[in-house]
Amino acid sequence: MTFDYIFKNATVIDGTGAPRYRADVGVVAELIAEIGDLSKASAKQVIDASGQVVAPGFIDTHAHDDAAIFDRSEIYPKLAQGVTTIINGNCGCSLAPMALRPGERPPTPLDQLSRDGVHFRTFAEYLDAVSLSRPAINGAFLVGHSTLRFRHMADLERPANESEISAMQLDLHEALDAGALGMSTGVFYGPAQATTTDELIAVGRPLSERGGLIAMHVRNEADQIEPALHEAFAVSSTLHVPLVVSHHKLFGKENHGRSTHTLALLRQQARLSPVCFDCYPYTASSSTLLPSRIKDSSRIQITWSKTHPQHAGRDLKDIAEEMRVDQEEAMRRLAPGGAVYFALSEDDVQRILASPNAMIGSDGVPFQEVPHPRMWGTFPRVLGHYSRDLRLFPLEAALHKMTGLPAERFGLVGRGRVAPGFAADLTVFDAEQIADMATFDAPKQAPKGISHVMVNGCMAVVDGEVVDWHAGQVLRRGQ
């Protein structure tokens, strides 16, 4: 048998959490064809992986690359850190279904998905556009509840009525038919803050009928996190659908240490219904400009500002002093914009990362002048800093959190494992060298230690250089 590629002398970590082993990995077309001793086999290209790990390509379970997937410069940070699949449409925000009038902008945070206002009237139209663009990496997609509200409600400051709920249900049906994995919510943000629990359940009814999941940015991640989690449990349990809690964290000094209790709640609920969560490996979050977060943050760094773009990357405190106003007023003057908020506990971050139900998601936001470093460093940081250096968990467990577990929970059939018959999405790295290089002051830096990234059997990255920008596919639910 002749292979297209053979990775010889590899240390294989297969994504299931099982112990590593030495073997050769043979690829034919888009699939892993054989694993074992292939020393006597021939291949069009043989790659010596001695001293390196061959792992499944990483799955970013929480991305906001809905428009960035069309943009080489914006999707490069994911490829560079070994990500081969992204889950888009999180936090209630998706590019479809949306119908903007000329000159109209959607409300924040929907307006952060795209730099030039690109949007699509139907979910099928959007997925077809992504597919026709031949993206650099694989994309799987959620439809945003906030997007549905914006599409069908003239007044977002109240709960939806019956006719509006019916219209949103129809759009959710269409999105699921087109291949959406499920629906996401962002009741923390303005466009959906008036949403009731009953509205979430009613709009989500098509998920029960079609087998979709729900990913929820819960209503509160600070003092009221427990009732917010119970709301998410109630929605998913009533609908009888799997739940993914988005970027689980505890915000503000007064809430540090509470992850012991929230993780116990999540474990308890997981015994009753399918529940897991994603998280990122940093003690700072990033969001829109939120004056309510000033008092709970030890530092706030501006990531972008529409009115004062020159302040991107600077501390809000310094900007306020220059403006001779307090930080709240400075934030109002900078709006619309975004910021990094230093308000999380390292102990909580480690406890959450180490949970067996934790998946890794970057929550990176593209199109920002000085983004949170998670956009460039999430996955190598987990593998290098937390697994190798701090020994928080074995490398096998770390990789399971970013490959096999998310593939299983999001229903990505044939992905997330190094096994014959699975898609040849592979990341090859040096376990002793892999490290994130992105910092808060200099975030746009590619990691080190990753030698090859393969997407659908095509070599996409070699030593940090992209050699194929069109190896990705749209991954539709059930396919």
Side-chain angles (χ1 to χ4, degrees), residues 203-273:
V203 173
R205 289 292 179 192
L207 300 173
S208 305
E209 302 168 21
R210 305 297 178 88
L213 60 84
I214 189 164
M216 300 186 67
H217 180 157
V218 297
R219 201 175 293 273
N220 188 285
E221 296 172 316
D223 298 349
Q224 299 300 311
I225 191 166
E226 291 174 23
L229 286 173
H230 283 299
E231 179 183 45
F233 299 159
V235 171
S236 62
S237 296
T238 303
L239 293 173
H240 301 289
V241 299
L243 168 66
V244 177
V245 175
S246 295
H247 43 58
H248 182 46
K249 58 183 175 289
L250 285 302
F251 193 91
K253 187 175 181 179
E254 295 300 316
N255 298 299
H256 290 176
R258 291 180 65 188
S259 61
T260 301
H261 184 59
T262 59
L263 290 172
L265 290 177
L266 287 159
R267 285 194 301 271
Q268 180 181 353
Q269 185 64 27
R271 289 192 285 268
L272 303 174
S273 59

Side-chain angles (χ1 to χ4, degrees), residues 357-434:
N357 285 327
M359 304 180 294
I360 306 303
S362 71
D363 196 18
V365 181
F367 306 117
Q368 294 188 346
E369 186 64 29
V370 186
H372 191 300
R374 64 194 184 189
M375 185 72 182
W376 289 76
T378 291
F379 293 86
R381 182 170 176 80
V382 171
L383 299 174
H385 179 64
Y386 284 102
S387 178
R388 180 191 62 231
D389 299 342
L390 298 186
R391 299 183 179 180
L392 186 61
F393 32 60
L395 190 59
E396 289 86 346
L399 285 165
H400 179 57
K401 294 173 181 294
M402 57 183 70
T403 60
L405 181 60
E408 174 190 341
R409 292 306 181 103
F410 283 96
L412 305 180
V413 179
R415 308 275 167 177
R417 286 183 60 186
V418 180
F422 276 66
D425 294 340
L426 300 170
T427 297
V428 183
F429 64 93
D430 185 331
E432 296 303 316
Q433 297 297 320
I434 192 168

